[in-house]
Amino acid sequence: DAGVIQSPRHEVTEMGQEVTLRCKPISGHDYLFWYRQTMMRGLELLIYFNNNVPIDDSGMPEDRFSAKMPNASFSTLKIQPSEPRDSAVYFCASSFGTGVSPLHFGNGTRLTVT
Amino acid sequence: EDKVVQSPLSLVVHEGDTVTLNCSYEVTNFRSLLWYKQEKKAPTFLFMLTSSGIEKKSGRLSSILDKKELFSILNITATQTGDSAVYLCAVFGYKYIFGTGTRLKVLA
């Protein structure tokens, strides 16, 4: 079991640039979640998918953020244009079902926007 | 609005001490409560609790849920420096909501 795989591990970019974060969930998991973690706000749910379909994107901060899941093994989170306040660690997590099985997290992408 | 509140925010103890971490919640359509340990990187799963009064145990860690009073506790006995981490509580109603965590530091 390879676990949830995220890339890149670190991203440093300048304000205004486009940033794309990538995630490969655990094979067989039907739910995928994107979280953002900061010291001030902890882990915040941005969006989650079930069987590749977005179910709840109410946590996406604004139109600069978008997420896609074109197939069961790949998802992206895009920020365009990026701003310094987007600096955080972004985690992807997957699960088989919800509420009855745990979330499995990737190692995260640390994003720094200067 | 669903919420999860953890206490204390931080805790410093000495090796060998016993600690109790608290998690209270308000959530619609409660289904489960989960505990995670986060060191430098990704949160790692510890326990999932769905029924009141049934203790989950793994080595020196144990946890129990009270669905009537809407809280859970995580106990760590005979703490070790390797237990130093942030402990996160999450609750699932219609989605997973995380508390801000308890930062535990165990001194040698």
Side-chain angles (χ1 to χ4, degrees):
Chain A
D1 185 351
V4 177
I5 299 172
Q6 291 187 246
S7 64
R9 292 296 306 276
H10 302 275
E11 177 81 38
V12 180
T13 191
E14 292 184 348
M15 184 173 64
Q17 297 298 305
E18 178 179 293
V19 175
T20 299
L21 312 181
R22 297 173 176 80
C23 175
K24 177 180 169 57
I26 292 172
S27 177
H29 282 190
D30 55 349
Y31 282 82
L32 183 140
F33 303 78
W34 282 100
Y35 283 88
R36 177 172 67 178
Q37 187 175 41
T38 61
M39 287 291 292
M40 291 295 293
R41 300 174 68 90
L43 267 170
E44 300 175 277
L45 177 64
L46 300 177
I47 185 171
Y48 77 93
F49 296 82
N50 174 221
N51 291 324
N52 314 337
V53 176
I55 302 301
D56 185 341
D57 65 354
S58 59
M60 296 285 263
E62 48 199 271
D63 291 346
R64 297 184 299 106
F65 285 69
S66 62
K68 294 182 180 178
M69 192 165 185
N71 57 62
S73 59
F74 184 66
S75 177
T76 59
L77 178 67
K78 187 174 292 187
I79 309 172
Q80 164 64 13
S82 58
E83 296 182 2
R85 60 189 166 128
D86 301 330
S87 297
V89 180
Y90 290 80
F91 286 104
C92 175
S94 69
S95 69
F96 180 66
T98 54
V100 293
S101 66
L103 288 176
H104 296 266
F105 284 83
N107 283 329
T109 295
R110 181 175 295 277
L111 173 65
T112 303
V113 183
T114 60
Chain B
E1 184 179 332
D2 295 349
K3 64 179 180 181
V4 177
V5 178
Q6 292 186 245
S7 64
L9 290 180
S10 65
L11 195 53
V12 180
V13 300
H14 289 92
E15 271 193 322
D17 288 349
T18 293
V19 299
T20 298
L21 310 183
N22 303 291
C23 176
S24 63
Y25 61 90
E26 294 177 26
V27 65
T28 305
N29 192 43
F30 173 88
R31 294 188 67 185
S32 60
L33 183 146
L34 301 90
W35 284 97
Y36 285 83
K37 178 182 182 182
Q38 186 176 25
E39 298 173 87
K40 295 290 186 186
K41 37 189 183 180
T44 54
F45 173 70
L46 296 174
F47 298 113
M48 172 178 275
L49 301 140
T50 57
S51 301
S52 271
I54 299 176
E55 185 182 52
K56 291 283 184 87
K57 197 170 173 67
S58 176
R60 296 176 295 103
L61 278 67
S62 63
S63 183
I64 198 161
L65 174 67
D66 186 328
K67 289 169 74 173
K68 183 179 176 185
E69 300 297 330
L70 308 183
F71 78 91
S72 173
I73 60 172
L74 175 68
N75 279 320
I76 309 174
T77 59
T79 52
Q80 302 171 357
T81 54
D83 296 326
S84 296
V86 175
Y87 290 84
L88 296 165
C89 173
V91 174
F92 185 84
Y94 292 105
K95 53 189 175 184
Y96 292 100
I97 304 295
F98 280 81
T100 52
T102 292
R103 185 174 297 276
L104 173 65
K105 186 173 179 63
V106 182
L107 303 176

